[in-house]
Amino acid sequence: GENVGLHLPTLSVQEGDNSIINCAYSNSASDYFIWYKQESGKGPQFIIDIRSNMDKRQGQRVTVLLNKTVKHLSLQIAATQPGDSAVYFCAENIGGTSYGKLTFGQGTILTVHP
Amino acid sequence: ETGVTQTPRHLVMGMTNKKSLKCEQHLGHNAMYWYKQSAKKPLELMFVYNFKEQTENNSVPSRFSPECPNSSHLFLHLHTLQPEDSALYLCASSGEMNTEAFFGQGTRLTVV
């Protein structure tokens, strides 16, 4: 099957810096992408999503960018805080209206140093 | 608190035991899912249920048996598991109106 994968397995930043986490996907037919955050001992937590008819979507301190030409997705976190330290997963909806039917990337470990 | 509750949080079982994982969602969602998260591997979709009907079995071994008695509850019955089945088992739910899926905290399963 087609996979969603990540370029970098780890990212270490200083508090206050901006963080960028990248993701590549291979299914050009995918139309819905999601970023999840998973802290130690917890389940994945929704951060932000984007549909394929958009290039950019902003949330609170987070921005997701979608480049369909090169099948690339990124998550930008502004003014990164220690509480942002977690594993970040991109996911691709493969189930149409079954929005929980997802293919996940391997994850990027973000470590924020005070 | 995501509105999806899983019990137990931790489970240790022998290879000849029978145990069950439970998931309950309080979000009014119509779809529920089981995922497996092993170390150093991406989350893997196992089962999908829509309105209590199983719509997806992602080639999961028969020693894992799901049950969905209603749209709010989902079980995963475990029987004669192998040590390689040790993992974090995550339940999720989603609705027709909202697009994102909500995950529970997971059950950390260890097979000895």
Side-chain angles (χ1 to χ4, degrees):
Chain A
E2 295 178 310
N3 297 311
V4 179
L6 294 169
H7 294 302
L8 300 174
T10 62
L11 178 63
S12 184
V13 301
Q14 290 296 127
E15 181 178 3
D17 287 352
N18 295 333
S19 301
I20 299 176
I21 301 171
N22 296 301
C23 176
Y25 65 95
S26 57
N27 188 347
S28 57
S30 297
D31 65 356
Y32 179 54
F33 304 88
I34 313 99
W35 281 100
Y36 281 92
K37 171 187 180 183
Q38 186 174 25
E39 297 174 279
S40 180
K42 296 185 178 180
Q45 178 186 359
F46 172 86
I47 301 174
I48 193 168
D49 59 2
I50 189 167
R51 293 204 171 272
S52 60
N53 60 353
M54 302 173 69
D55 297 321
K56 178 180 180 179
R57 192 168 186 213
Q58 289 185 291
Q60 188 176 22
R61 283 201 306 118
V62 294
T63 301
V64 55
L65 299 177
L66 176 63
N67 185 330
K68 296 180 287 293
T69 302
V70 295
K71 289 183 281 189
H72 185 266
L73 194 68
S74 68
L75 176 70
Q76 300 178 357
I77 305 174
T80 316
Q81 302 167 0
D84 294 327
S85 294
V87 181
Y88 289 80
F89 295 93
C90 63
E92 172 186 12
N93 174 252
I94 56 174
T97 55
S98 291
Y99 295 109
K101 188 175 175 181
L102 303 167
T103 296
F104 280 83
Q106 292 186 348
T108 292
I109 301 172
L110 175 64
T111 303
V112 183
H113 300 283
Chain B
E1 180 59 52
T2 63
V4 181
T5 304
Q6 291 186 243
T7 55
R9 291 294 308 277
H10 301 273
L11 178 62
V12 179
M13 60 185 290
M15 289 188 284
T16 58
N17 291 160
K18 289 184 180 180
K19 296 288 183 183
S20 296
L21 310 185
K22 179 182 177 181
C23 177
E24 183 175 2
Q25 57 97 359
H26 310 278
L27 302 168
H29 288 165
N30 59 282
M32 297 187 76
Y33 313 82
W34 280 116
Y35 280 85
K36 177 183 179 181
Q37 187 175 27
S38 304
K40 301 181 181 180
K41 292 179 71 175
L43 277 78
E44 301 171 85
L45 179 65
M46 300 175 71
F47 300 104
V48 179
Y49 277 83
N50 274 291
F51 294 103
K52 305 188 299 178
E53 299 299 319
Q54 185 181 125
T55 57
E56 180 105 5
N57 176 337
N58 201 18
S59 302
V60 181
S62 59
R63 58 186 183 270
F64 294 91
S65 175
E67 178 190 2
C68 189
N70 55 62
S71 293
S72 299
H73 294 85
L74 185 65
F75 296 89
L76 189 61
H77 304 299
L78 314 172
H79 177 51
T80 59
L81 295 192
Q82 304 299 312
E84 58 266 29
D85 295 322
S86 299
L88 181 68
Y89 288 85
L90 291 158
C91 172
S93 70
S94 67
E96 294 179 305
M97 299 304 294
N98 296 318
T99 53
E100 69 264 30
F102 291 84
F103 283 81
Q105 303 279 48
T107 295
R108 173 67 62 186
L109 174 67
T110 303
V111 181
V112 297

